[in-house]
Amino acid sequence: MDFGVSEKTIGEECGVFGMYDLSGGDVASTIYYGLYALQHRGQESAGIAVTNTFNGKNQVFAHKDLGRVNEVFNENNLSTLHGNLGVGHVRYSTAGASSRENSQPLVLNYLKGTLMLAHNGNLVNTPHLRRELAMGGAIFQTTTDTETIAYNIARERIKSRTVQVATVRALEKVLGSYSVVVASPRKLIGARDPWGFRPLVIGKLENAYIITSETCALETINAEFIRDILPGEVVTVLPDGTIESNMDLALEDEEPARCIFEYIYFCRPDTNFDGMSVTKS
């Protein structure tokens, strides 16, 4: 039995955008504009998933499909996405076929509530992770490596005090490049691989926090750039606006290994990647 993932064409691009409005305002339309600014990172599919952190229902509203952002979303379907915490994604397949099932964000309903997740990167130990999960009874709905991250976070959450601890424990099992945005019922989490291969930044718009792939997405929505998320860092935005940082995954003796293609091919020219202008690099 083959638990690996095969793909005729391998790519590395995707764009992620997470937003948490602590005042309770709907975030779907802002995520849409953020994804539009990240369209260069993926044209195969687009998706948005949101939840309302105030009503206690843990209900997720989501829409995703094949196509570009302006093809997948319109005024009608955006108006159905009510929630102040959400995750968006534009995809250029790294692993798994180009199909609606493989589009993101992924949404899991499990014992602790809901989990929304979007991933940019490529894992090298996906076959091992999928085999381990399948032997434990997991039933896969996609052929993406992203699903193995989501399943592991959900499983770790059952035996962890918080979702941010579960995220760190799940990512300890992962080898490869990743910038991940996770939304639990009441928290927004961003995580970057220990080598900093893919970009990930945090910003602020009035009383809302944003975690996204590039600074150009922040500028598009007139958000303030706070800082780059560090290699190996897991950042959590809590309901009271506190930002927690966990560096357990960081490598003390290793130099960052940023992808050179981010500077010359993936990133938009007006983006700053780890403090360096893409145009001037």
Side-chain angles (χ1 to χ4, degrees):
M1 184 177 294
D2 182 12
F3 294 104
V5 177
S6 62
E7 175 69 13
K8 294 181 179 178
T9 59
I10 298 296
E12 295 286 346
E13 287 183 276
C14 283
V16 299
F17 191 102
M19 186 172 181
Y20 192 175
D21 189 331
L22 304 177
S23 299
D26 285 344
V27 297
S29 60
T30 305
I31 294 176
Y32 168 87
Y33 287 112
L35 293 180
Y36 194 85
L38 297 173
Q39 186 71 88
H40 58 285
R41 298 189 69 87
Q43 299 83 40
E44 292 184 6
S45 66
I48 297 174
V50 299
T51 189
N52 187 324
T53 66
F54 287 93
N55 62 17
K57 295 181 179 180
N58 292 337
Q59 185 176 10
V60 173
F61 299 96
H63 181 75
K64 57 184 180 179
D65 210 339
L66 297 178
R68 302 190 182 200
V69 175
N70 64 341
E71 296 170 338
V72 172
F73 295 101
N74 54 50
E75 186 176 347
N76 289 334
N77 56 42
L78 278 174
S79 67
T80 66
L81 304 178
H82 297 295
N84 64 308
L85 171 60
V87 174
H89 188 267
V90 288
R91 184 172 191 259
Y92 177 63
S93 59
T94 57
S98 178
S99 64
R100 188 182 186 281
E101 290 73 21
N102 285 339
S103 59
Q104 297 182 37
L106 298 183
V107 178
L108 293 184
N109 295 290
Y110 70 117
L111 184 62
K112 292 289 186 175
T114 57
L115 200 67
M116 301 175 283
L117 185 145
H119 165 224
N120 168 215
N122 201 15
L123 308 186
V124 299
N125 64 333
T126 297
H128 169 75
L129 294 174
R130 289 176 70 89
R131 184 177 299 108
E132 183 181 74
L133 288 164
M135 293 300 292
I139 300 174
F140 293 97
Q141 304 297 318
T142 78
T143 58
T144 66
D145 48 8
T146 307
E147 194 172 14
T148 63
I149 300 176
Y151 273 152
N152 272 304
I153 293 175
R155 289 197 170 190
E156 291 295 334
R157 179 64 182 95
I158 303 301
K159 51 189 176 182
S160 301
R161 182 175 55 86
T162 64
V163 67
Q164 53 266 46
V165 170
T167 300
V168 172
R169 289 177 177 173
L171 293 177
E172 286 175 344
K173 304 177 182 179
V174 168
L175 297 176
S177 64
Y178 58 82
S179 285
V180 179
V181 176
V182 181
S184 72
R186 289 174 56 81
K187 296 173 184 177
L188 177 65
I189 299 172
R192 194 173 173 198
D193 73 69
W195 292 274
F197 211 63
R198 298 283 164 227
L200 197 64
V201 300
I202 185 168
K204 193 171 189 292
L205 177 64
E206 297 178 350
N207 204 31
Y209 285 93
I210 297 104
I211 297 175
T212 186
S213 294
E214 295 188 36
T215 58
C216 66
L218 297 176
E219 293 170 1
T220 296
I221 61 171
N222 295 317
E224 170 195 0
F225 168 73
I226 295 179
R227 66 177 177 88
D228 291 279
I229 293 175
L230 300 174
E233 184 178 19
V234 177
V235 169
T236 305
V237 181
L238 302 176
D240 63 358
T242 302
I243 300 178
E244 289 187 353
S245 172
N246 182 297
M247 295 296 294
D248 288 354
L249 298 174
L251 303 175
E252 294 182 4
D253 301 324
E254 296 286 341
E255 291 291 330
R258 303 176 186 90
C259 176
I260 188 63
F261 284 100
E262 289 286 352
Y263 292 101
I264 64 174
Y265 180 62
F266 296 158
C267 284
R268 224 170 72 171
D270 56 340
T271 282
N272 288 299
F273 184 9
D274 282 339
M276 184 181 297
S277 167
V278 171
T279 300
K280 297 178 180 178
S281 62

